[in-house]
Amino acid sequence: METHVPASSHSSLNRQKAATSSREYFLGCNSKYLTVPRNRPSLHSSRINGSLEAPSCVDTDCSSIINNYLDGTQGEAMDSMSGMHFRDSNRKVDYVLVYHYRKRLTQHQPGAGSPRPMHRAASMAIVSNGGTKKGCLKLQPDNGQHAPQEAEVIELDPLDTLEEEKRLQREEYECNLVAAGLEIEKDTENKSQGLNFVRIHATWQVLSREAELLKIKMPTKKMYEIKEEGGIVKKLSEIWRKLSEPLQPQVPQEDTKMKSLSYPFSREKIYLYNIRDKDTFFDNATRSRIVHEILKRTSTKTRNSMGISTLIANNVYDAAYPLHDGEYEYQNDDMNERKLLYREWARYGVFYKFQPIDLIRKYFGEKIGLYFAWLGLYTEFLIPSSVVGIIVFLYGCITIESDIPSKEMCDQRNSFTMCPLCDKFCDYWNLSSACSTARASHLFDNPATVFFSIFMALWATTFLEQWKRLQMRLSYFWDLTGLEEEEEHPRPEYETKLLQKKLKNKNMKTESTNEDGEDKLTWNDRMPGYAVNFGLILFMITLTFSAVFGVIVYRITTSAALSLSTNETTRSNVRVTVTATAVIINLVVILILDEIYGAVAKWLTEIEVPKTEKTFEERLILKAFLLKFVNSYAPIFYVAFFKGRFVGRPGHYVYVFDGYRMEECAPGGCLMELCIQLSIIMLGKQLIQNNLFEIGIPKLKKLFRKMKDERTEPKEMDTNQPKDPQQWDLDYSLEPFTGLTPEYMEMIIQFGFVTLFVASFPLAPLFALLNNIIEVRLDAKKFVTELRRPDTVRAKDIGIWYNILSGIGKLSVIINAFVIAVTSDFIPRLMYQYAYSQNGSMHGFINHTLSYFNVSHLKAGTQPENSPFAQDILFCRFKDYREPPWSQNQYEFSKQYWAVLSARLAFVIIFQNLVMFLSVLVDWMIPDIPKDISEQIKKEKSVLVDFFLTEERKKLKLIESFITCDKHKHKSATKDQRIRAASFSQFNQSQKGSIVSFSSQHTEV
């Protein structure tokens, strides 16, 4: 329906057009809009209702931004609205823009009487807030006559001026969207302030045009058969398919034997595609992606804003998002993809089922689909590593009774009198009192852990190779092969910075431009940001090390304080108490610093001003990973490689803070303490940060935003609102999608726990597996029920995360080699058994690793006070390889020390090169592209060529048939002309011929 303007207002319109010549880009938009009736006059309905109000400082011809006209009452229209369509119930809502509006209260001159409807005069002005004048509007009464000499001045406060500027930007932007071919519908602004939703629909012309520009691959009419592998592989796959049938989600399955040939959409070759219905040819995800691309590149002249991202950053709009496919909980027969995903994927009750990856990709896009495919493969690969880890742990449990060193340590007949653990207040003690610690250490410090470390290094390589194969398979079936990198639009912050640079250099004769003549930010422009990044990252890493050192000081001082206790139980459990409390403190510090580092990494990336979103995301990932990696693993690195290495020896200890000795490892070694540290931090992060935080924080944010909206918005009745909330209202109440970085980050950190120190904790894969079974469903539920629908993004891989995973896999080989060589007793035991043992057994190993110390050499004031054994003890023992006090080089490192140290370094080199060689071998043996997929890609190219040739032949035959038909018509016409010419000649020669005979001949021809 068209909008008609009364003739009486034509002169006013002409004057307003002349006064607003600076906004000529609005011309012509009004013809594309229709107007919804309003309860009270407003800008958009002013020309319809016959009365005008003036809520803006500048008038435009695009005064009516609504293109959905409804006859009848407003309430009936609202009740008939569909949650996914315009009010006509035909056009689908492809995207939604949301903004807060705040109306200016109308002011009048004193004594003017009752307010009358006002409209804008030709002369209007807005003065900036920083000026000496205020923004003003000149209004005149609308009484059918125009009297510009009678003008009323209304002052605008700064908030009204800002709101007016936003409204003008919105009008211009929405008008430009309509000029781009989109259709828009929005509600009337009936309240003094509140939310409004701009609903956007893309027509077939827009969808086909943009699909061609974006080179979106669409299915053609051609179907071809997918060749399956034969032989034993086919039989095994069939058996597996039958066994895993109960684990398959009940979703529509695509035909695995036939595949549609896809080709980038082209309007010239539209006959190639299988278009049954133009409304459903492009699915919802593709439609929203196309609209999002238009929103990103549509600009406004006001503030030189480029795209919706800039407008959201400037608070012109609050949000922009595509709609979910309806509700997910209602028990009705109307099934949609969201409800299907919730039923078969996003519930904890279906944890045992496989993920419907194809449906996830169809609903959320390729980038999110790849994340869940990677997470699923990682979780599947944790199953064999968990099984092997349990076997290694059980091996330690079974062999604990036959472990000779543990037996010797627990045998009270071997009276190894150990030197005091602290000065003055600690007494001499018997090594057999640490029996339980020694037995527990054997569970993780045994020869099987070496095998498990090699296994996990090869496991990591195999996992990455298998992911590359799966990624290639998904790329083929998702039509991502040959996907080109799309040109990204600059970020709003980059544009703002570039605009500031232009304004700063506008008085200069020459401006710095690149080779293409396009302005850009140079190294000098970014230097302050880089300097701040370097300094602050160093400070944060130093802060992490300071926190670790603070916990070390806590352990030292607490150990000394508990040693002074008069309670025998307290003194005997000092080590356990200190270790447990210190690990909990470490966990709390890690959780707090993780949240701080995430915010700091984002702020540091923002001040760098990256140009595109991809560059921003990669730099953010690198910074966040660096900070969180150091934060998570610094306490573990300390226990593994530094604790007990700088203690000194009796009579010559290393002290901190005058009188506090550096802490030592337990009698059984530091590996047991490393296991405790690793397990508590890993489980604590998974339970608290990955699960409780993910569940609780979004709910708190949603509650806070709801309370904020209720507090800021006045409680006014809106007659435009339907009885039931619409889908755009429900989606707006959900949390916005902020990217996959947090999801990947927690899994990458977990991957580090599983691989880096797995030699000390073989059960790490098992706990990771249990966590991931919950994590998959938790993330699924969050995406389906708690987040707004993300914009679909095409991606052919997981990006920089693969490089990080590969780096962690290589680093794990080196770290596990050092853990086995330095932290565990594997090398000392091996050296003793084959170099020092008289009978090739482990008997006498404990005595071999303990050195002697003459108690008379203790420094004055450090001897134990009130010791009942002081008179009977001449020598005490301590764990180290040193010369005895009766040697000429007393207390110096012995030959055994240097021999063991050489063996440790040799083991690191051999282990590292062996595992690296095996990893390269596995990498070489497993091709990156599966053989069947490689053949199918080649086949697809040949099928595509044959299909084009066949269609071109059909096209040529059709053209030839048209040409042949045209020739026949031409010959018939020529013959007709000749007969007519002959008839006419006969008529001229025979004047006696009758008119009737001529007429009959002509009719016959």
Side-chain angles (χ1 to χ4, degrees), residues 32 378 386 400 404 449 454 483 486 512 532 648 650 665 696 762 774 780 823 987:
K32 296 192 177 185
Y378 172 49
S386 301
I400 192 171
I404 296 174
T449 57
I454 299 174
L483 179 65
E486 298 177 1
S512 59
V532 173
C665 288
I774 301 173
T823 311
F987 177 77

Side-chain angles (χ1 to χ4, degrees), residues 353-500:
K353 290 188 176 183
F354 294 122
Q355 298 185 90
I357 294 297
D358 291 325
L359 185 59
I360 297 169
R361 169 251 177 180
K362 181 182 178 184
Y363 192 80
F364 292 110
E366 285 77 9
K367 190 172 184 178
I368 295 176
L370 284 174
Y371 163 71
F372 281 104
W374 174 85
L375 181 58
L377 182 68
Y378 172 49
T379 304
E380 290 174 11
F381 258 72
L382 284 173
I383 296 175
S385 60
S386 301
V387 172
V388 176
I390 293 173
I391 292 173
V392 170
F393 179 74
L394 293 177
Y395 171 81
C397 296
I398 293 171
T399 59
I400 192 171
E401 296 298 334
S402 60
D403 183 51
I404 296 174
S406 299
K407 284 183 177 181
E408 288 185 348
M409 187 177 291
C410 295
D411 191 356
Q412 295 185 0
R413 292 174 296 180
N414 298 327
S415 57
F416 296 111
T417 304
M418 306 299 293
C419 296
L421 295 175
C422 64
D423 295 341
K424 295 175 66 175
F425 302 104
C426 294
D427 199 357
Y428 302 102
W429 57 286
N430 200 311
L431 185 61
S432 61
S433 63
C435 175
S436 58
T437 306
R439 290 171 64 87
S441 296
H442 179 73
L443 297 176
F444 306 101
D445 190 1
N446 56 69
T449 57
V450 180
F451 158 76
F452 190 57
S453 299
I454 299 174
F455 170 81
M456 287 303 296
L458 299 179
W459 173 88
T461 303
T462 308
F463 163 64
L464 293 177
E465 288 302 312
Q466 192 62 30
W467 166 245
K468 285 194 287 188
R469 290 169 61 84
L470 177 60
Q471 191 171 252
M472 197 64 209
R473 188 176 295 275
L474 293 176
S475 296
Y476 167 69
F477 283 104
W478 293 355
D479 298 321
L480 298 175
T481 52
L483 179 65
E484 300 177 358
E485 293 289 337
E486 298 177 1
E487 183 180 357
E488 290 192 67
H489 300 283
R491 298 176 62 249
E493 293 80 3
Y494 181 87
E495 289 183 329
T496 304
K497 188 78 174 178
L498 190 60
L499 181 60
Q500 292 174 356

Side-chain angles (χ1 to χ4, degrees), residues 204 218-223 260 265 270-282:
W204 167 258
M218 300 302 296
T220 62
K221 299 176 182 177
K222 179 67 176 177
M223 300 279 291
S260 295
F265 189 82
I270 199 167
Y271 56 87
L272 299 175
Y273 304 97
N274 188 18
I275 304 176
R276 298 176 181 175
D277 186 357
K278 290 184 177 180
D279 292 334
T280 58
F281 179 66
F282 296 102

Side-chain angles (χ1 to χ4, degrees), residues 491-721:
R491 298 176 62 249
E493 293 80 3
Y494 181 87
E495 289 183 329
T496 304
K497 188 78 174 178
L498 190 60
L499 181 60
Q500 292 174 356
K501 179 184 176 182
K502 290 179 181 178
L503 294 176
K504 184 178 180 181
N505 299 332
K506 65 180 180 179
N507 296 326
M508 298 174 63
K509 294 182 180 180
T510 58
E511 296 182 3
S512 59
T513 57
N514 60 8
E515 295 179 357
D516 300 329
E518 182 182 348
D519 293 305
K520 67 175 184 179
L521 296 180
T522 61
W523 177 269
N524 292 332
D525 298 324
R526 291 193 171 98
M527 182 58 72
Y530 290 150
V532 173
N533 268 262
F534 181 76
L536 203 52
I537 287 175
L538 281 182
F539 171 76
M540 290 297 171
I541 294 175
T542 307
L543 178 63
T544 301
F545 291 152
S546 301
V548 174
F549 181 72
V551 176
I552 294 171
V553 172
Y554 164 80
R555 296 161 69 110
I556 294 172
T557 54
T558 306
S559 297
L562 293 178
S563 300
L564 300 177
S565 175
T566 57
N567 191 330
E568 182 64 27
T569 306
T570 303
R571 288 201 305 270
S572 60
N573 295 318
V574 167
R575 191 179 296 275
V576 176
T577 305
V578 170
T579 300
T581 55
V583 172
I584 293 173
I585 293 172
N586 267 326
L587 175 61
V588 173
V589 171
I590 287 172
L591 293 177
I592 294 173
L593 290 182
D594 257 1
E595 300 301 318
I596 296 173
Y597 288 168
V600 169
K602 185 177 180 181
W603 180 74
L604 289 176
T605 310
E606 287 175 349
I607 64 175
E608 277 189 27
V609 199
K611 184 174 182 179
T612 62
E613 286 294 339
K614 182 179 179 180
T615 310
F616 178 88
E617 186 179 19
E618 289 180 350
R619 295 185 183 181
L620 173 62
I621 289 169
L622 287 176
K623 290 184 184 65
F625 174 73
L626 174 63
L627 293 174
K628 293 190 176 186
F629 182 88
V630 173
N631 182 42
S632 298
Y633 298 116
I636 301 172
F637 269 93
Y638 164 72
V639 174
F641 303 122
F642 297 101
K643 184 178 180 181
R645 313 294 169 194
F646 310 102
V647 177
R649 60 171 177 82
H652 195 271
Y653 285 112
V654 177
Y655 291 89
V656 291
F657 301 121
D658 293 334
Y660 293 103
R661 276 164 43 179
M662 287 293 292
E663 57 179 346
E664 303 178 46
C665 288
C670 277
L671 197 68
M672 186 61 197
E673 190 171 341
L674 176 62
C675 173
I676 296 172
Q677 186 101 0
L678 182 65
S679 60
I680 292 179
I681 291 177
M682 178 182 177
L683 296 177
K685 277 180 66 68
Q686 289 184 165
L687 178 63
I688 299 174
Q689 192 175 44
N690 297 359
N691 294 325
L692 294 181
F693 282 11
E694 281 195 31
I695 296 173
I697 290 180
K699 293 186 181 298
L700 291 176
K701 285 183 178 179
K702 184 177 179 180
L703 179 62
F704 176 76
R705 192 173 57 196
K706 184 179 179 181
M707 292 172 60
K708 182 181 177 182
D709 291 341
E710 289 177 353
R711 187 171 63 252
T712 55
E713 291 187 15
K715 296 181 179 180
E716 302 177 28
M717 292 297 295
D718 190 352
T719 56
N720 281 350
Q721 288 296 325

